[in-house]
Amino acid sequence: MAKEIERKFLVKSDGWRSEVSSSSAFLQAYIAYGDDRSVRVRIMDGKRAKLTIKIGRELSVRDEFEYEIPLADAEEMAVAAVGVVLEKTRHEIRHQGYTWEVDVYGGTYKGLVVAEVEIEDEGALPDIPDWIGEEITGDRRYSNTVMATEDLSGEIL
């Protein structure tokens, strides 16, 4: 079992763009969800796919299980998605020993830009780049599961 511990922030400027080491286009569809768990399928660059199961009530710390699956299976599951299929481009940036993931949303959430950093334990304090804005860790409105199942585009954009 893998434990995911992350902090999430809004992005306040484009300063991160010059530091991008890789980018990937995602379609992210939620197949099932509950108060403390979610099952999603993610299609990356239209070429490969993963099935992810997350368990835990806290948005910042959850158990995560992730598996490569056939692209055709993922495409079929995405058709049966609950709510909005999220569209985003994920950009990776390395900064002071941490990998930051900047998600630039398209589709329903076009204009939203969020950064996440995975940390080794809840007490870790990564250096915060100057292009990072307000911390939104634990704000359920920015949970991908909530964004997909409740369509909060009018509230957070």
Side-chain angles (χ1 to χ4, degrees):
M1 166 176 30
K3 185 79 66 181
E4 176 189 56
I5 305 171
E6 67 184 14
R7 291 177 66 190
K8 189 180 277 196
F9 302 82
L10 293 175
V11 174
K12 67 180 182 180
S13 75
D14 282 343
W16 58 273
R17 290 191 182 272
S18 64
E19 301 178 48
V20 172
S21 60
S22 67
S23 300
S24 185
F26 289 176
L27 285 179
Q28 188 164 299
Y30 285 83
I31 308 310
Y33 71 97
D35 289 340
D36 67 342
R37 62 199 62 223
S38 66
V39 178
R40 74 164 189 233
V41 63
R42 180 182 280 167
I43 300 170
M44 292 141 318
D45 296 320
K47 297 178 182 174
R48 56 190 193 97
K50 290 185 178 181
L51 181 72
T52 305
I53 301 161
K54 292 189 178 188
I55 301 171
R57 291 197 179 277
E58 295 297 318
L59 294 177
S60 61
V61 180
R62 294 179 285 183
D63 293 325
E64 181 179 81
F65 307 87
E66 192 165 65
Y67 309 96
E68 293 275 343
I69 62 170
L71 179 60
D73 290 358
E75 291 169 337
E76 190 172 335
M77 284 186 249
V79 171
V82 177
V84 174
V85 174
L86 300 177
E87 301 171 46
K88 59 186 173 181
T89 301
R90 173 163 288 169
H91 305 276
E92 287 193 359
I93 294 113
R94 290 182 182 80
H95 180 82
Q96 301 290 324
Y98 288 90
T99 300
W100 289 78
E101 296 172 337
V102 175
D103 289 339
V104 178
Y105 287 82
T108 302
Y109 291 98
K110 185 177 175 96
L112 179 63
V113 183
V114 173
E116 298 178 357
V117 61
E118 286 197 24
I119 53 180
E120 59 277 8
D121 63 67
E122 292 182 71
L125 299 171
D127 180 63
I128 306 295
D130 59 5
W131 39 267
I132 290 292
E134 174 187 355
E135 184 163 7
I136 54 173
T137 302
D139 185 335
R140 70 179 297 281
R141 297 174 301 166
Y142 296 96
S143 156
N144 281 297
T145 307
V146 172
M147 288 168 50
T149 58
E150 295 183 22
D151 186 2
L152 298 178
S153 56
E155 183 177 332
I156 63 176
L157 292 177

